[in-house]
């Protein structure tokens, strides 16, 4: 009796991976122009009360320090994590919604994993280490790229994946409060990109 040739299984497995994270599914909503909405301001706190401005700068420094100490996970680590989240059952009893829960709630399945775009994801992660005004064009560019790839759904997918990865789900568990509010900042920066509204 001859030995079993597992090489075909390896090719089958890798082609399945390519299907999951290959070409993104097309946008489900009509295309809209990329504009700059009223909430998309490079430095929204520039004219704020000095006390408020000091607090904002203090929080920015905490976020910047966190990102310098916690570089963006590798593409492979993130893809493996997304596959696990896609395959795991959503538990409604969890104190904080997991990315698995978000996927189920949004109706995303394994084919939606193709919306993940590591270059844009990494740009958003790394931009958190920049001063707000410098980060703004990087964040806008990443949002526009995601919109071109798969519309608002693609933007939402990467937005929630970033939030969950940065705030500790399977990557780090001691994220300070400014890390949690980074997603709200991105939400405003992206205002006006296609159908995205803050």
């Amino acid at each position: 009796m001859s030995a079993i040739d597992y090489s075909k299984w390896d090719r089958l497995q890798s082609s399945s991976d390519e299907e999951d994270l290959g070409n993104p599914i097309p946008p489900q909503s009509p295309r809209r122009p990329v504009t700059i909405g009223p909430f998309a301001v490079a430095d929204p706190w520039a004219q704020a009360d000095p006390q408020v401005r000091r607090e904002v700068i203090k929080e920015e420094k905490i976020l910047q320090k966190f990102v310098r100490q916690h570089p963006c996970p590798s593409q492979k680590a993130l893809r493996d994590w997304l596959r696990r989240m896609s395959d795991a059952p959503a538990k409604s009893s969890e104190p904080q919604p997991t990315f698995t829960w978000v996927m189920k709630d949004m109706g995303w399945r394994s084919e939606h994993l193709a919306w993940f775009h590591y270059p844009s994801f990494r740009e958003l992660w790394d931009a958190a280490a920049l001063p707000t005004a410098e980060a703004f064009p990087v964040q806008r560019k990443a949002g526009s790229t995601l919109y071109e790839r798969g519309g608002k759904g693609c933007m939402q997918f990467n937005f929630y994946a970033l939030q969950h990865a940065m705030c500790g789900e399977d990557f780090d568990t001691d994220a300070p409060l400014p890390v949690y509010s980074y997603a709200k900042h991105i939400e405003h920066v992206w205002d006006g990109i296609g159908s995205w509204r803050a």
Side-chain angles (χ1 to χ4, degrees), residues 5-15:
D5 179 10
Y6 288 103
S7 64
K8 291 179 184 170
W9 172 255
D10 291 340
R11 282 195 299 276
L12 178 64
Q13 184 65 32
S14 66
S15 68

Side-chain angles (χ1 to χ4, degrees), residues 18-72:
E18 289 305 312
E19 282 177 25
D20 284 352
L21 294 160
N23 295 322
I25 55 178
Q28 305 300 308
S29 57
R31 291 298 215 186
R32 296 199 173 142
V34 173
T35 62
I36 296 180
F39 292 101
V41 179
D43 191 355
W45 302 103
Q47 304 300 319
D49 173 87
Q51 176 67 25
V52 172
R53 179 87 174 137
R54 277 192 296 277
E55 286 300 313
V56 168
I57 290 171
K58 182 178 166 185
E59 288 194 4
E60 280 181 5
K61 288 184 179 181
I62 293 169
L63 174 63
Q64 292 165 357
K65 181 180 178 185
F66 175 85
V67 172
R68 282 192 298 271
Q69 292 175 343
H70 301 88
C72 184

Side-chain angles (χ1 to χ4, degrees), residues 37-172:
F39 292 101
V41 179
D43 191 355
W45 302 103
Q47 304 300 319
D49 173 87
Q51 176 67 25
V52 172
R53 179 87 174 137
R54 277 192 296 277
E55 286 300 313
V56 168
I57 290 171
K58 182 178 166 185
E59 288 194 4
E60 280 181 5
K61 288 184 179 181
I62 293 169
L63 174 63
Q64 292 165 357
K65 181 180 178 185
F66 175 85
V67 172
R68 282 192 298 271
Q69 292 175 343
H70 301 88
C72 184
S74 70
Q75 183 171 358
K76 180 184 181 333
L78 286 162
R79 284 182 167 199
D80 291 347
W81 172 67
L82 289 169
R83 282 190 198 97
R84 283 194 314 275
M85 295 298 103
S86 173
D87 294 339
K91 299 174 189 166
S92 59
S93 61
E94 300 206 26
Q96 293 288 337
T98 62
F99 191 66
T100 295
W101 183 89
V102 172
M103 285 192 71
K104 305 301 188 229
D105 187 59
M106 297 292 284
W108 295 333
R109 297 172 304 283
S110 62
E111 60 265 26
H112 292 94
L113 295 178
W115 273 338
F116 177 67
H117 187 241
Y118 185 73
S120 297
F121 184 97
R122 184 169 183 151
E123 284 177 346
L124 292 168
W125 186 293
D126 292 345
L130 300 173
T132 303
E134 287 179 41
F136 182 81
V138 175
Q139 295 159 341
R140 288 283 300 181
K141 178 180 164 275
S144 294
T145 299
L146 294 170
Y147 185 69
E148 289 305 314
R149 280 179 60 81
K152 185 177 177 182
C154 182
M155 293 173 75
Q156 289 173 315
F157 186 92
N158 286 272
F159 174 86
Y160 286 120
L162 179 73
Q163 173 75 3
H164 283 266
M166 284 188 97
C167 293
E169 190 175 317
D170 298 323
F171 293 101
D172 193 279

